[in-house]
Amino acid sequence: MSISHRLPVHTAVATAIVLLSTACSSPDSAGRDTTVAAGNSAGALNIAVTADSGETHLTNIRQITNGGENAEAYFSQDGQWLTFQSTRDGNTCDQQYTMRVDGTELTKVSVGGKTTCGWFLPGSNRLFFSSTHAADSACPPRPDPSKGYVWGIDKYDMYTVDRDGKNLTRLTNYGTYTAEGILSPDGKRIVFTSLKDGDLDIYTMNVDGTDVKRLTTTPGYDGGPWWSPDGTKIVYRAWHYDNPEDLKAYQDLLKQGMIRPNRMELFVMNADGSDQRQITTLGGANFGPSWTPDGQRVIFSSNHKNPRSRNFDLYIVNLDGSNLEQVTTNGEFDGFPMFSPDGKQLIWASNRGALKEGDTNLFIADWKN
């Protein structure tokens, strides 16, 4: 998996192996009605799921995938389509898929390697995502275990493709980690994370790959950027080093194509990179931020209540770090939230109700303020 939005899932699993015996609940204990919704197209999954106690913002929850690792599902601008990454169909690492929000018309759009971070271009007929297939058509090897607990920084570049998987075109050609792309609300620019200048920093570029601008320069990890609904701000996650020895260790690992998991906090900046400021000081791993529809608050995933656990929940917070509110309360992982374009629904990935250890599925709920 990439060091993009899904990093903390593996952090949680690795640091809480003792909890695996209780990780999987049965369909009944998850509060699920496993009958496929009446009138749904053949093959589409639409399982009703009962909200956990305290999940007052979430109503009419539906599970729309079943089995494997499915995550980073993001809406098209018209709200009719999703693109997401998945290990389904026997894949040993993530491939990129599209489907309608009701689970129909599932299509694989990637061609090999490992993929991450898809997003629809305007019109919903074409999208971009990141893939390692130019470096190797096979899944990238795992990092050297002698280095301890580290993640590989895989050689992603960005590609565009039609929604049906045709007309794949390379967008960037850096030959190093370039991923985590999100389209601006006006459809003109992409914000993304790249190692192209020797550190993990945030950049923007036109949708054709021109006019690349670097926004962050502080040594350390900056990533997971997401435009505000009005396009004037970008929220992101970051970890910077006060201790020179820790910074050197981070930089030495980068040169070997690896990174060691660390604490992450949330930051916000103007779309031109100015006025960079930290939002959270929660501790633990805070990641996968996006915005509430009014652009006044940020929704994200965190394990700050127990930083060594696998239990990540969704939270909402003001841009000054105040009024922190917990959205999910399930005892498993919840992450990668995104509101639908009309603000009426929330999609996210969760381990809740998993039938097999390690399964991560996609859920959609109606949002109640």
Side-chain angles (χ1 to χ4, degrees):
M1 302 179 68
S2 73
I3 63 158
S4 61
H5 307 281
R6 298 179 71 178
L7 280 177
V9 182
H10 285 264
T11 305
V13 172
T15 58
I17 195 71
V18 295
L19 299 180
L20 289 180
S21 61
T22 59
C24 298
S25 58
S26 69
D28 290 339
S29 67
R32 305 193 307 172
D33 175 1
T34 57
T35 302
V36 175
N40 206 12
S41 299
L45 185 72
N46 193 349
I47 301 173
V49 178
T50 303
D52 279 16
S53 175
E55 295 182 337
T56 57
H57 285 295
L58 306 177
T59 63
N60 190 26
I61 302 174
R62 286 93 65 209
Q63 181 180 334
I64 59 172
T65 66
N66 191 26
E69 292 186 33
N70 306 273
E72 296 196 59
Y74 302 130
F75 287 99
S76 60
Q77 285 188 332
D78 62 9
Q80 300 300 305
W81 293 88
L82 297 169
T83 183
F84 66 103
Q85 58 200 50
S86 177
T87 59
R88 64 180 58 216
D89 303 328
N91 295 313
T92 56
C93 60
D94 288 322
Q95 296 299 304
Q96 199 70 29
Y97 290 81
T98 62
M99 68 179 179
R100 289 191 178 273
V101 293
D102 65 1
T104 61
E105 298 188 42
L106 177 71
T107 303
K108 179 174 172 284
V109 298
S110 55
V111 296
K114 182 167 67 170
T115 73
T116 192
C117 306
W119 195 270
F120 279 98
L121 291 162
S124 306
N125 292 319
R126 196 162 174 83
L127 64 147
F128 61 85
F129 66 97
S130 292
S131 175
T132 66
H133 73 260
D136 194 329
S137 61
C139 294
R142 297 184 181 274
D144 181 354
S146 69
K147 301 295 183 181
Y149 187 54
V150 295
W151 287 304
I153 303 176
D154 299 314
K155 294 181 178 179
Y156 288 98
D157 265 298
M158 299 178 72
Y159 297 81
T160 61
V161 69
D162 291 345
R163 194 181 63 218
D164 61 4
K166 298 178 180 178
N167 299 317
L168 183 70
T169 302
R170 191 165 185 170
L171 184 60
T172 66
N173 196 14
Y174 298 130
T176 189
Y177 184 86
T178 302
E180 306 175 31
I182 301 289
L183 185 70
S184 61
D186 64 9
K188 295 180 179 179
R189 291 186 71 79
I190 296 170
V191 65
F192 63 100
T193 303
S194 182
L195 187 61
K196 74 184 194 68
D197 292 317
D199 196 12
L200 288 164
D201 279 304
I202 296 172
Y203 299 77
T204 62
M205 65 181 176
N206 291 334
V207 292
D208 64 359
T210 62
D211 190 31
V212 178
K213 295 182 179 179
R214 184 176 179 179
L215 302 187
T216 60
T217 57
T218 304
Y221 173 73
D222 297 277
W226 197 296
W227 303 90
S228 62
D230 64 4
T232 64
K233 293 181 174 61
I234 294 168
V235 67
Y236 60 104
R237 65 175 185 249
W239 185 251
H240 304 139
Y241 296 88
D242 296 327
N243 185 319
E245 293 182 357
D246 291 340
L247 176 60
K248 184 178 185 302
Y250 160 80
Q251 292 171 333
D252 287 345
L253 273 178
L254 276 185
K255 293 175 183 177
Q256 302 172 59
M258 294 177 286
I259 187 173
R260 197 176 304 281
N262 250 319
R263 172 177 163 178
M264 297 180 190
E265 298 289 352
L266 302 186
F267 289 68
V268 68
M269 61 182 165
N270 293 333
D272 63 1
S274 62
D275 192 23
Q276 297 177 12
R277 52 192 174 87
Q278 188 169 336
I279 298 176
T280 63
T281 53
L282 295 173
N286 305 280
F287 82 108
S290 61
W291 297 79
T292 56
D294 61 6
Q296 300 301 305
R297 307 185 76 190
V298 170
I299 185 169
F300 65 102
S301 183
S302 176
N303 70 343
H304 71 273
K305 287 188 173 180
N306 186 357
R308 294 190 63 81
S309 79
R310 63 178 292 139
N311 184 18
F312 284 77
D313 277 304
L314 301 183
Y315 295 83
I316 292 180
V317 69
N318 291 346
L319 296 184
D320 63 359
S322 65
N323 197 21
L324 181 70
E325 181 182 3
Q326 188 167 346
V327 174
T328 62
T329 59
N330 189 268
E332 296 299 323
F333 171 83
D334 291 281
F336 318 117
M338 180 189 182
F339 282 96
S340 60
D342 63 8
K344 295 180 179 180
Q345 294 179 305
L346 183 77
I347 190 167
W348 78 103
S350 180
N351 294 146
R352 64 180 64 202
L355 300 180
K356 186 177 69 174
E357 180 183 308
D359 280 359
T360 305
N361 285 300
L362 303 179
F363 295 79
I364 292 180
D366 294 340
W367 181 260
K368 182 180 178 181
N369 285 318

